[in-house]
Amino acid sequence: MSRSPRHDKILQLVRENGFMPIEELARLLDVTPQTIRRDINQLCEANLLRRYHGGAALGNSVENEDYFSRKGKLQSEKAHIADMIAENIPDHASLFMSIGTTIEAVAQALTATHKGLRVITNNIHVASIMSANPDFTVMITSGVVRASDGGITGVATLDFINQFKVDYAVIGVSGIETDGSLLDFDYREVRVAQAMMNNARHRFLAADHSKFGRNALVRMGHISEFNAIFTDAMPPESLKKLLEDHSVRMYLADPL
């Protein structure tokens, strides 16, 4: 889904008020209720809003979509983001790679184009993809494997990651608020991502446009902590200003 300025305004109003009736949104945005219903349906499909009788509220902040549903969405956009990240990582680099379907797309791109990488990941799918390249060294962390998506978390995962200092951390995220807060659903996954960030010289954030304004329960950090963000659509103006103020480079994929 390509987000319009009206979609961003709807999300802003819902965040500010908790719940917005369709008729009120139509009045404030000077469009028909039918247009607002169509907008809300699109935002619900992207898991950004939840529709209720007569209006909409924020999407579920407690539970993420299931893995296979996420993997099937925005595949072309994720591939474009992955290609940009691969272009900015040199051969013979060391890197952390976190959990997420976008990170799995990055693994595919790097496996096809690079040589001599040293990879540490808590993502079983990333390890499987990248171990197919005989020129890579792939290390998978200790910890508890989540059956839902092959992610590995826990105290043992943190202990393993803290043994290393790498060139790059490639991190995914579930939601990015307009104030720059980075959000996720599992505090254990967040702690692992934070450890990766703390032990990397360069931090890359991979986030497709559906993450802008998306709600989630656990705060992972702030967008200013990254060297660069790779995305497929222009973020809201408030986020653009934050990126500029904190000298975070933005890489924008070409329109599909």
Side-chain angles (χ1 to χ4, degrees):
M1 184 194 78
S2 179
R3 283 239 299 271
S4 68
R6 190 172 64 245
H7 287 163
D8 289 332
K9 186 63 177 176
I10 290 170
L11 289 170
Q12 178 187 339
L13 288 167
V14 172
R15 277 194 297 270
E16 290 172 353
N17 295 279
F19 174 86
M20 285 296 294
I22 289 172
E23 296 294 336
E24 181 68 5
L25 286 169
R27 184 185 67 80
L28 291 171
L29 299 177
D30 195 25
V31 295
T32 66
Q34 289 77 14
T35 296
I36 293 296
R37 288 189 185 93
R38 190 161 52 245
D39 289 339
I40 288 173
N41 286 339
Q42 291 172 342
L43 291 167
C44 288
E45 287 173 5
N47 206 37
L48 295 172
L49 288 183
R50 178 166 289 186
R51 185 166 184 171
Y52 296 91
H53 180 69
L58 289 176
N60 190 348
S61 68
V62 176
E63 186 176 4
N64 203 357
E65 286 183 277
D66 71 85
Y67 171 75
F68 292 102
S69 175
R70 286 181 282 125
K71 190 172 179 63
K73 290 182 177 179
L74 302 174
Q75 291 181 344
S76 295
E77 290 85 348
K78 291 171 185 175
H80 278 65
I81 291 168
D83 288 341
M84 288 192 301
I85 292 175
E87 289 170 3
N88 284 272
I89 293 177
D91 289 334
H92 304 288
S94 58
L95 57 154
F96 290 128
M97 298 187 68
S98 72
I99 299 169
T101 56
T102 305
I103 306 303
E104 292 167 24
V106 177
Q108 294 277 10
L110 289 169
T111 300
T113 58
H114 280 56
K115 59 185 179 180
L117 296 183
R118 301 295 181 264
V119 181
I120 302 159
T121 184
N122 66 325
N123 185 330
I124 282 179
H125 302 298
V126 165
S128 176
I129 292 165
M130 302 193 82
S131 61
N133 187 323
D135 200 41
F136 289 179
T137 298
V138 180
M139 289 175 274
I140 194 162
T141 67
S142 306
V144 179
V145 181
R146 281 196 313 221
S148 61
D149 63 359
I152 303 172
T153 60
V155 174
T157 316
L158 297 174
D159 290 343
F160 190 91
I161 287 168
N162 284 327
Q163 296 179 74
F164 299 92
K165 184 76 173 183
V166 304
D167 298 321
Y168 297 89
V170 185
I171 306 294
V173 69
S174 293
I176 306 175
E177 296 237 320
T178 53
D179 66 357
S181 296
L182 305 176
L183 307 174
D184 222 305
F185 291 91
D186 187 332
Y187 75 92
R188 292 161 298 189
E189 181 178 343
V190 162
R191 290 188 66 195
V192 173
Q194 289 169 339
M196 289 180 172
M197 292 163 60
N198 290 336
N199 289 288
R201 299 177 183 91
H202 305 279
R203 303 164 178 175
F204 287 175
L205 182 66
D208 66 68
H209 67 267
S210 71
K211 305 302 192 297
F212 297 131
R214 189 180 180 205
N215 197 25
L217 181 66
V218 187
R219 190 178 188 278
M220 185 176 82
H222 194 268
I223 203 165
S224 62
E225 299 173 62
F226 282 80
N227 300 99
I229 177 173
F230 297 79
T231 187
D232 64 307
M234 196 65 72
E237 285 299 322
S238 58
L239 271 177
K240 282 173 60 180
K241 186 175 187 309
L242 274 173
L243 295 174
E244 293 167 3
D245 290 346
H246 293 280
S247 300
V248 180
R249 303 188 305 278
M250 180 173 66
Y251 292 85
L252 192 63
D254 293 332
L256 298 176

PDB file of all heavy atoms in Angstrom, residues 217-234:
ATOM      1  N   LEU A 217       4.146  -2.371  21.355  1.00  0.00           N
ATOM      2  CA  LEU A 217       4.148  -2.210  22.813  1.00  0.00           C
ATOM      3  C   LEU A 217       5.496  -1.791  23.395  1.00  0.00           C
ATOM      4  O   LEU A 217       5.555  -1.016  24.354  1.00  0.00           O
ATOM      5  CB  LEU A 217       3.713  -3.542  23.449  1.00  0.00           C
ATOM      6  CG  LEU A 217       3.623  -3.590  24.972  1.00  0.00           C
ATOM      7  CD1 LEU A 217       2.518  -2.665  25.466  1.00  0.00           C
ATOM      8  CD2 LEU A 217       3.367  -5.018  25.428  1.00  0.00           C
ATOM      9  N   VAL A 218       6.603  -2.290  22.842  1.00  0.00           N
ATOM     10  CA  VAL A 218       7.908  -2.178  23.502  1.00  0.00           C
ATOM     11  C   VAL A 218       8.801  -1.188  22.752  1.00  0.00           C
ATOM     12  O   VAL A 218       8.943  -1.268  21.533  1.00  0.00           O
ATOM     13  CB  VAL A 218       8.614  -3.548  23.580  1.00  0.00           C
ATOM     14  CG1 VAL A 218       9.881  -3.439  24.423  1.00  0.00           C
ATOM     15  CG2 VAL A 218       7.682  -4.608  24.148  1.00  0.00           C
ATOM     16  N   ARG A 219       9.419  -0.291  23.496  1.00  0.00           N
ATOM     17  CA  ARG A 219      10.307   0.698  22.900  1.00  0.00           C
ATOM     18  C   ARG A 219      11.702   0.111  22.723  1.00  0.00           C
ATOM     19  O   ARG A 219      12.326  -0.333  23.675  1.00  0.00           O
ATOM     20  CB  ARG A 219      10.376   1.949  23.778  1.00  0.00           C
ATOM     21  CG  ARG A 219      11.076   3.130  23.127  1.00  0.00           C
ATOM     22  CD  ARG A 219      11.062   4.339  24.049  1.00  0.00           C
ATOM     23  NE  ARG A 219      11.564   5.532  23.373  1.00  0.00           N
ATOM     24  CZ  ARG A 219      12.858   5.821  23.221  1.00  0.00           C
ATOM     25  NH1 ARG A 219      13.774   4.991  23.686  1.00  0.00           N
ATOM     26  NH2 ARG A 219      13.228   6.912  22.592  1.00  0.00           N
ATOM     27  N   MET A 220      12.193   0.131  21.478  1.00  0.00           N
ATOM     28  CA  MET A 220      13.512  -0.415  21.184  1.00  0.00           C
ATOM     29  C   MET A 220      14.599   0.651  21.260  1.00  0.00           C
ATOM     30  O   MET A 220      15.745   0.374  21.590  1.00  0.00           O
ATOM     31  CB  MET A 220      13.527  -1.041  19.782  1.00  0.00           C
ATOM     32  CG  MET A 220      14.819  -1.755  19.424  1.00  0.00           C
ATOM     33  SD  MET A 220      14.730  -2.553  17.804  1.00  0.00           S
ATOM     34  CE  MET A 220      15.093  -1.151  16.727  1.00  0.00           C
ATOM     35  N   GLY A 221      14.246   1.876  20.950  1.00  0.00           N
ATOM     36  CA  GLY A 221      15.223   2.948  20.926  1.00  0.00           C
ATOM     37  C   GLY A 221      14.681   4.128  20.144  1.00  0.00           C
ATOM     38  O   GLY A 221      13.463   4.329  20.049  1.00  0.00           O
ATOM     39  N   HIS A 222      15.594   4.904  19.561  1.00  0.00           N
ATOM     40  CA  HIS A 222      15.207   6.099  18.811  1.00  0.00           C
ATOM     41  C   HIS A 222      15.905   6.088  17.462  1.00  0.00           C
ATOM     42  O   HIS A 222      17.036   5.603  17.328  1.00  0.00           O
ATOM     43  CB  HIS A 222      15.576   7.367  19.591  1.00  0.00           C
ATOM     44  CG  HIS A 222      14.931   8.601  19.056  1.00  0.00           C
ATOM     45  ND1 HIS A 222      15.540   9.402  18.102  1.00  0.00           N
ATOM     46  CD2 HIS A 222      13.721   9.173  19.326  1.00  0.00           C
ATOM     47  CE1 HIS A 222      14.738  10.421  17.821  1.00  0.00           C
ATOM     48  NE2 HIS A 222      13.633  10.302  18.552  1.00  0.00           N
ATOM     49  N   ILE A 223      15.240   6.623  16.476  1.00  0.00           N
ATOM     50  CA  ILE A 223      15.774   6.599  15.119  1.00  0.00           C
ATOM     51  C   ILE A 223      17.113   7.330  15.012  1.00  0.00           C
ATOM     52  O   ILE A 223      17.935   7.029  14.142  1.00  0.00           O
ATOM     53  CB  ILE A 223      14.724   7.181  14.142  1.00  0.00           C
ATOM     54  CG1 ILE A 223      14.986   6.672  12.730  1.00  0.00           C
ATOM     55  CG2 ILE A 223      14.663   8.700  14.222  1.00  0.00           C
ATOM     56  CD1 ILE A 223      13.824   6.879  11.795  1.00  0.00           C
ATOM     57  N   SER A 224      17.363   8.278  15.930  1.00  0.00           N
ATOM     58  CA  SER A 224      18.625   9.028  15.918  1.00  0.00           C
ATOM     59  C   SER A 224      19.828   8.152  16.264  1.00  0.00           C
ATOM     60  O   SER A 224      20.976   8.566  16.056  1.00  0.00           O
ATOM     61  CB  SER A 224      18.544  10.200  16.901  1.00  0.00           C
ATOM     62  OG  SER A 224      18.352   9.735  18.226  1.00  0.00           O
ATOM     63  N   GLU A 225      19.590   6.957  16.791  1.00  0.00           N
ATOM     64  CA  GLU A 225      20.681   6.062  17.148  1.00  0.00           C
ATOM     65  C   GLU A 225      21.263   5.325  15.945  1.00  0.00           C
ATOM     66  O   GLU A 225      22.247   4.598  16.081  1.00  0.00           O
ATOM     67  CB  GLU A 225      20.206   5.051  18.192  1.00  0.00           C
ATOM     68  CG  GLU A 225      19.742   5.685  19.503  1.00  0.00           C
ATOM     69  CD  GLU A 225      19.131   4.660  20.444  1.00  0.00           C
ATOM     70  OE1 GLU A 225      19.863   3.731  20.842  1.00  0.00           O
ATOM     71  OE2 GLU A 225      17.938   4.777  20.766  1.00  0.00           O
ATOM     72  N   PHE A 226      20.662   5.502  14.769  1.00  0.00           N
ATOM     73  CA  PHE A 226      21.105   4.801  13.574  1.00  0.00           C
ATOM     74  C   PHE A 226      21.891   5.733  12.658  1.00  0.00           C
ATOM     75  O   PHE A 226      21.677   6.944  12.634  1.00  0.00           O
ATOM     76  CB  PHE A 226      19.906   4.211  12.828  1.00  0.00           C
ATOM     77  CG  PHE A 226      19.389   2.953  13.466  1.00  0.00           C
ATOM     78  CD1 PHE A 226      18.561   3.016  14.578  1.00  0.00           C
ATOM     79  CD2 PHE A 226      19.764   1.711  12.979  1.00  0.00           C
ATOM     80  CE1 PHE A 226      18.110   1.863  15.194  1.00  0.00           C
ATOM     81  CE2 PHE A 226      19.315   0.548  13.589  1.00  0.00           C
ATOM     82  CZ  PHE A 226      18.491   0.624  14.694  1.00  0.00           C
ATOM     83  N   ASN A 227      22.793   5.136  11.894  1.00  0.00           N
ATOM     84  CA  ASN A 227      23.538   5.893  10.894  1.00  0.00           C
ATOM     85  C   ASN A 227      22.720   6.106   9.631  1.00  0.00           C
ATOM     86  O   ASN A 227      22.891   7.124   8.938  1.00  0.00           O
ATOM     87  CB  ASN A 227      24.839   5.163  10.526  1.00  0.00           C
ATOM     88  CG  ASN A 227      25.742   4.962  11.726  1.00  0.00           C
ATOM     89  OD1 ASN A 227      25.759   3.880  12.312  1.00  0.00           O
ATOM     90  ND2 ASN A 227      26.463   6.001  12.112  1.00  0.00           N
ATOM     91  N   ALA A 228      21.838   5.147   9.319  1.00  0.00           N
ATOM     92  CA  ALA A 228      21.062   5.246   8.085  1.00  0.00           C
ATOM     93  C   ALA A 228      19.773   4.448   8.217  1.00  0.00           C
ATOM     94  O   ALA A 228      19.722   3.430   8.919  1.00  0.00           O
ATOM     95  CB  ALA A 228      21.874   4.739   6.896  1.00  0.00           C
ATOM     96  N   ILE A 229      18.740   4.913   7.527  1.00  0.00           N
ATOM     97  CA  ILE A 229      17.490   4.173   7.396  1.00  0.00           C
ATOM     98  C   ILE A 229      17.266   3.891   5.924  1.00  0.00           C
ATOM     99  O   ILE A 229      17.508   4.747   5.068  1.00  0.00           O
ATOM    100  CB  ILE A 229      16.292   4.942   7.997  1.00  0.00           C
ATOM    101  CG1 ILE A 229      14.987   4.157   7.768  1.00  0.00           C
ATOM    102  CG2 ILE A 229      16.179   6.354   7.445  1.00  0.00           C
ATOM    103  CD1 ILE A 229      13.779   4.751   8.470  1.00  0.00           C
ATOM    104  N   PHE A 230      16.816   2.681   5.627  1.00  0.00           N
ATOM    105  CA  PHE A 230      16.544   2.244   4.264  1.00  0.00           C
ATOM    106  C   PHE A 230      15.050   1.935   4.171  1.00  0.00           C
ATOM    107  O   PHE A 230      14.543   1.085   4.909  1.00  0.00           O
ATOM    108  CB  PHE A 230      17.359   0.999   3.928  1.00  0.00           C
ATOM    109  CG  PHE A 230      18.846   1.237   3.952  1.00  0.00           C
ATOM    110  CD1 PHE A 230      19.541   1.274   5.161  1.00  0.00           C
ATOM    111  CD2 PHE A 230      19.554   1.419   2.780  1.00  0.00           C
ATOM    112  CE1 PHE A 230      20.913   1.490   5.194  1.00  0.00           C
ATOM    113  CE2 PHE A 230      20.921   1.641   2.797  1.00  0.00           C
ATOM    114  CZ  PHE A 230      21.610   1.682   3.998  1.00  0.00           C
ATOM    115  N   THR A 231      14.350   2.631   3.283  1.00  0.00           N
ATOM    116  CA  THR A 231      12.906   2.479   3.192  1.00  0.00           C
ATOM    117  C   THR A 231      12.458   2.623   1.748  1.00  0.00           C
ATOM    118  O   THR A 231      13.274   2.889   0.854  1.00  0.00           O
ATOM    119  CB  THR A 231      12.198   3.487   4.124  1.00  0.00           C
ATOM    120  OG1 THR A 231      10.796   3.212   4.143  1.00  0.00           O
ATOM    121  CG2 THR A 231      12.441   4.921   3.681  1.00  0.00           C
ATOM    122  N   ASP A 232      11.149   2.466   1.525  1.00  0.00           N
ATOM    123  CA  ASP A 232      10.634   2.502   0.159  1.00  0.00           C
ATOM    124  C   ASP A 232       9.668   3.649  -0.087  1.00  0.00           C
ATOM    125  O   ASP A 232       9.103   3.753  -1.182  1.00  0.00           O
ATOM    126  CB  ASP A 232       9.939   1.174  -0.169  1.00  0.00           C
ATOM    127  CG  ASP A 232       8.718   0.938   0.710  1.00  0.00           C
ATOM    128  OD1 ASP A 232       8.859   1.017   1.949  1.00  0.00           O
ATOM    129  OD2 ASP A 232       7.634   0.682   0.184  1.00  0.00           O
ATOM    130  N   ALA A 233       9.443   4.500   0.911  1.00  0.00           N
ATOM    131  CA  ALA A 233       8.555   5.645   0.735  1.00  0.00           C
ATOM    132  C   ALA A 233       8.981   6.759   1.678  1.00  0.00           C
ATOM    133  O   ALA A 233       9.569   6.501   2.735  1.00  0.00           O
ATOM    134  CB  ALA A 233       7.097   5.254   1.008  1.00  0.00           C
ATOM    135  N   MET A 234       8.687   7.982   1.282  1.00  0.00           N
ATOM    136  CA  MET A 234       9.068   9.129   2.099  1.00  0.00           C
ATOM    137  C   MET A 234       8.336   9.088   3.443  1.00  0.00           C
ATOM    138  O   MET A 234       7.122   8.916   3.488  1.00  0.00           O
ATOM    139  CB  MET A 234       8.720  10.422   1.364  1.00  0.00           C
ATOM    140  CG  MET A 234       9.404  11.645   1.928  1.00  0.00           C
ATOM    141  SD  MET A 234      11.206  11.617   1.737  1.00  0.00           S
ATOM    142  CE  MET A 234      11.358  11.885  -0.031  1.00  0.00           C
TER     143      MET A 234
END
